[in-house]
Amino acid sequence: MEAAYPILAAVGVGSLTMLVGVAGGAFLVMVAQRSAFPVQREGDSGVVPDDAAADASASRRKVPMSRLPPVVQPLRRERLRTMEAVPQDTTDRVNALIDHKKGIAELRVALRIRTIQTVTRWLSGALAVVLLFAAVIANVAVGWSTIALANKIAIPVLILSAGTFLAVRSLERKAKEPYDKTARELKIELEAAEELRLLDAARLELPVPDRQYSYKDSIPAELDGLRRDGRRYRRKHNVSQSVIIVGSLAGTAVSALADTPPPLKYWAMGITFAVGVAAGFTGYYKWRERAFYLQQTADDIERHATAFDLGIYPYDEGEEHLRLAKLAKEIELLRVEQRKREQQLDQPHEGSAEVV
């Protein structure tokens, strides 16, 4: 029976890990499916207005409205109106671009949810098939009584995996548009919607000062993204260092026992392996350095944005549009510097000093 301890421990740890992953994926799918249905906007009935249909030329009617995705339809109708006459009011032009961005945001949410659903469905189905095949082979070859403990762990995981597969499949069949489409179809529709947005943005011809103000207003979102990525890398680094410190001490303590029983020997081997993996990933991916550079870039961008808002050096002189242009130039330089740092971190250790 002692010889079966490593097998039972490996089966138990692997099954529990897969159980947590499948259950977590199913939970994320259900939460996302409930909280991210597309918002129905006013006037979005899916029918082309009579005036737009009457005024549209034959070239515009080559693509029927019924073939367009539901989220892209309002973008197409808005483009038909803007192609006739470009709005003169800046507010109307900005609102037109905002409508495009709303449609694109809905498509991105749908694509992310469908990707999670697809991955969860394939993983749960594959896990159920593998566990069923392994359980049948193991029980026929070894016997139920010999691996009874492994069966008590594997069978519930098998049932949960099959249930997760059926639940995700049911959610996919009951989903509403655009969530009933595949991830590939949503990706194509997203690319088409982004192309429409670019074409309409060029047609709307927003003035340069408006684009500069829009750029300035996007700085807080940029700061949040940089700091969020920095916190993620810092968290990974702290977890890896904790595994290295605790694992080194635990492995040394277990190995120092004079008469180590067989189960503890396997635990010592697993701890040593975990420490080596954590140390290798920490040295290869350089999470600490990435977090430091991201935080430094965020602090520099925030410093420039605060100086512009307060009207202090170097933004205390000149016209408004000149100061906006200078702010955009400084922030773009910081972004370029951050990208260079990321490229330098991705280079091998031998060639990192040669990267400019």
Side-chain angles (χ1 to χ4, degrees), residues 8-305:
L8 295 178
V11 172
V13 173
S15 300
L16 290 177
T17 303
M18 290 184 289
L19 172 63
V20 173
V22 172
F27 176 76
L28 290 176
V29 168
M30 294 179 182
V31 171
Q33 187 70 34
R34 290 183 178 180
S35 61
F37 281 105
V39 180
Q40 185 73 17
R41 295 189 293 270
E42 295 182 359
D44 186 10
S45 58
V47 181
V48 183
D50 295 335
D51 54 350
D55 297 337
S57 61
S59 61
R60 292 175 193 153
R61 291 196 298 268
K62 289 181 180 178
V63 181
M65 290 296 298
S66 59
R67 296 183 183 178
L68 292 174
V71 181
V72 181
Q73 288 179 6
L75 305 181
R76 173 67 174 175
R77 293 197 299 272
E78 183 65 26
R79 188 186 176 198
L80 289 176
R81 290 193 291 269
T82 55
M83 289 291 287
E84 295 298 331
V86 179
Q88 298 299 323
D89 188 23
T90 304
T91 304
D92 295 337
R93 290 182 285 181
V94 172
N95 289 335
L97 287 180
I98 290 175
D99 291 338
H100 283 286
K101 291 184 178 180
K102 286 182 179 178
I104 292 174
E106 291 177 1
L107 283 176
R108 286 177 178 172
V109 172
L111 177 60
R112 183 167 62 252
I113 291 175
R114 291 296 289 118
T115 302
I116 295 175
Q117 288 178 340
T118 304
V119 172
T120 304
R121 174 164 51 83
W122 278 101
L123 287 180
S124 59
L127 178 60
V129 172
V130 170
L131 285 178
L132 179 61
F133 180 77
V136 172
I137 296 299
N139 284 279
V140 171
V142 181
W144 174 272
S145 58
T146 306
I147 56 173
L149 180 59
N151 288 326
K152 291 180 180 179
I153 298 175
I155 291 177
V157 178
L158 171 63
I159 296 175
L160 180 60
S161 301
T164 302
F165 176 83
L166 296 176
V168 173
R169 188 62 179 171
S170 177
L171 286 175
E172 291 177 345
R173 291 178 178 177
K174 296 179 180 179
K176 300 178 181 179
E177 295 223 5
Y179 296 88
D180 59 340
K181 300 182 181 296
T182 63
R184 180 177 178 273
E185 294 174 345
L186 288 173
K187 186 176 181 180
I188 295 174
E189 294 178 5
L190 178 59
E191 293 178 355
E194 290 177 346
E195 184 67 21
L196 283 176
R197 184 186 67 84
L198 293 176
L199 293 175
D200 286 347
R203 178 67 179 173
L204 292 174
E205 297 179 356
L206 288 176
V208 174
D210 292 343
R211 294 198 296 268
Q212 290 177 345
Y213 273 107
S214 177
Y215 183 87
K216 176 184 174 298
D217 292 337
S218 65
I219 291 178
E222 180 74 15
L223 291 176
D224 291 339
L226 290 173
R227 286 170 176 164
R228 181 171 58 252
D229 293 341
R231 287 193 298 268
R232 184 176 72 252
Y233 287 130
R234 194 177 300 110
R235 191 182 307 116
K236 291 180 180 180
H237 176 76
N238 292 336
V239 170
S240 299
Q241 291 300 313
S242 300
V243 171
I244 292 173
I245 295 173
V246 177
S248 300
L249 296 175
T252 303
V254 172
S255 301
L257 296 176
D259 188 11
T260 304
L264 291 181
K265 290 182 179 179
Y266 295 115
W267 279 104
M269 181 179 64
I271 292 172
T272 304
F273 178 77
V275 171
V277 169
F281 277 104
T282 302
Y284 181 79
Y285 289 107
K286 304 178 180 67
W287 290 320
R288 181 180 180 182
E289 290 80 2
R290 294 178 187 272
F292 172 77
Y293 288 139
L294 286 170
Q295 184 64 41
Q296 186 181 51
T297 303
D299 293 340
D300 292 339
I301 292 177
E302 185 179 23
R303 176 171 57 83
H304 282 280

